[in-house]
Amino acid sequence: MDYAATRDEALARVADAQDLGAVEALRVELLGKSGSISGLLKTLGGMSPEERQALGPQIHALRESVSQALGEAKDQLESAALQAQLAHETVDLSLPACEALRGTVHPVSQVMDELAEIFADLGFAVATGPEIEDDWHNFTALNIPESHPARAMHDTFYFPDQMAQVGQKMLLRTHTSPVQIRTMLDAVKTNPGGAPIRIIAPGRVYRSDSDATHTPMFHQVEGLVIDKGIHLGHLKWTLETFLKAFFEREDIVLRLRPSYFPFTEPSIEVDAGFAIINGKRVLGGSGDAPGHGWMELLGSGMVNRKVIEAGGFDPDEWQGFAFGVGVDRLAMLKYGMDDLRAFFDGDVRWLQHYGFSAHDVPTLSGGVGVRP
Ligand code: PHE
């Protein structure tokens, strides 16, 4: 048998193979289980030892060179196929990109940003305080001593007695007013005689309460001004200016009513006039007009002398006003949500509907929605 001729013929056929299918068919025909070259290998079994010694290496070499040629042919055809594909497939870079899903700014964050912007224009800084507060800052220093009936107005979450710190019962702050005390004490530390203060303090507050308009955690923003010669006129102008800018309406009308908070004297409840439009209350105009009404908006007043003292200031020299308003409530009034609980459900559909893009912040000077 002429193995060299068999090899040459096989190699010629491999060289002729035009595509991967033909190469695979040849592999099966020559080297497969019942392939012709595989058949030659099987003849080794029937040979005498001498014959096998002489022919074995030739048959193995034949099989080896054909197998190598098949492998190379396959590699070449595959890379040619890839080159052809790369040559005719193109990427169109002018096509618009798929829109990426973007999150939204939560209405509470949005309103807090709006408030910070508006009050920054009025010269107010943003102050913060801890949510885990002690009894003294949350109550006593604000002229709400123990057993004072005003404590019952706050459904307070207390920590267990053994978590008391420096003899103080700890609690989740029920309002942002303790930031008044902390801010005054800080100011006196750096300025022993006292110094003018203009701050707002937005943040979370906690009360054991839950229905469509109350959640155990909600948000308030506190305002505090301490200076010399501060009077009710300053409070009224500040609230009017802030509420007009916030609701983006010149026709906001406020009604100031006497009220009671232990930490302000006099205390003033502020109502705003509303009209009913499409079944919804919309702020604007006098609440006394026919078909209109007044809604309670926020609590405020002149800072009580005792609170100014607790803050380390001399109340004969320094006066001030303070106010506290629900941020969630402001958001609901401005943007029309009617269930407070949805604010805290984290439902993406709600967030897509009521959330904001990162740029929509009205300012006192810049108007609404200044976009870059
Ligand atoms: N802290 C009061 C509340 O939570 C609001 C308030 C703040 C009233 C400041 C007067 C002055 O209801």
Side-chain angles (χ1 to χ4, degrees), residues 142-143 180 184 222-239 256-270 298-308 315 318-324:
L142 289 161
N143 192 32
Q180 289 187 30
M184 285 190 269
E222 192 81 7
L224 174 70
V225 167
I226 299 283
D227 209 333
K228 294 179 178 173
I230 296 294
H231 54 73
L232 267 180
H234 296 118
L235 169 63
K236 182 167 185 268
W237 180 87
T238 304
L239 291 176
L256 276 55
R257 272 185 300 118
S259 180
Y260 174 75
F261 299 104
F263 32 92
T264 45
E265 182 59 39
S267 296
I268 292 180
E269 200 86 50
V270 177
L298 56 87
S300 64
M302 301 306 292
V303 182
N304 191 304
R305 290 177 60 88
K306 291 186 182 162
V307 173
I308 292 183
W318 300 90
Q319 298 77 45
F321 67 77
F323 59 87

Side-chain angles (χ1 to χ4, degrees), residues 118-125 198-199:
I118 291 167
F119 278 102
D121 286 349
L122 295 173
F124 285 64
R198 279 195 295 271
I199 57 111

Side-chain angles (χ1 to χ4, degrees), residues 180-207:
Q180 289 187 30
I181 304 296
R182 291 185 175 275
T183 307
M184 285 190 269
L185 289 173
D186 275 353
V188 168
K189 225 185 278 163
T190 34
N191 253 305
I197 291 173
R198 279 195 295 271
I199 57 111
I200 58 164
R204 296 189 190 98
V205 300
Y206 302 82
R207 290 182 201 177

Side-chain angles (χ1 to χ4, degrees), residues 106 108 112 176 202-205 215 217-221 325-329 343-344:
H106 193 285
V108 169
M112 283 185 174
T176 41
R204 296 189 190 98
V205 300
T215 48
M217 188 274 289
F218 59 106
H219 301 83
Q220 283 188 337
V221 63
V325 52
V327 173
D328 319 271
R329 187 166 151 67
F343 276 61
F344 311 113

